[in-house]
Amino acid sequence: MGASVQWREVKYGEIFEEELRGLQRRRNSDPLCTVKDIEGVLQHLYIMDGADWHGRGDVQDITMAATIAAYERFIAEWKAEG
């Protein structure tokens, strides 16, 4: 695997895990936080991602992709609980 690919995968993984930890902290510390709240943020992330008309660059693209994936996973797991 080339270094140019590897750093992207590492960065993606770091951001993904960081977002999941943050979402879990929010859920644990905010009793008023609902899955609908998290879904609302995800909808805004989709809009922001789609508004990338001029190109953000590699790091920002990786950040956005990992963040969206973390939100999607978190929501799916929360809904699967009950």
Side-chain angles (χ1 to χ4, degrees):
M1 176 182 311
S4 65
V5 173
Q6 186 175 12
W7 78 263
R8 287 175 176 87
E9 292 176 359
V10 169
K11 189 67 172 168
Y12 183 97
E14 290 171 351
I15 293 166
F16 182 84
E17 293 300 325
E18 182 178 320
E19 288 293 334
L20 283 177
R21 284 191 303 273
L23 287 164
Q24 190 61 54
R25 274 193 308 270
R26 179 177 175 190
R27 183 179 176 194
N28 292 342
S29 67
D30 182 358
L32 300 177
C33 180
T34 67
V35 73
K36 291 285 184 201
D37 296 326
I38 304 302
E39 288 174 326
V41 175
L42 178 60
Q43 290 306 312
H44 288 286
L45 289 170
Y46 288 146
I47 292 167
M48 289 172 49
D49 189 39
D52 179 26
W53 300 329
H54 301 292
R56 290 181 289 259
D58 286 347
V59 174
Q60 291 84 4
D61 285 342
I62 291 165
T63 299
M64 183 60 73
T67 300
I68 287 172
Y71 272 76
E72 291 171 340
R73 161 89 57 87
F74 188 79
I75 290 166
E77 289 177 356
W78 193 345
K79 286 181 172 182
E81 290 176 10

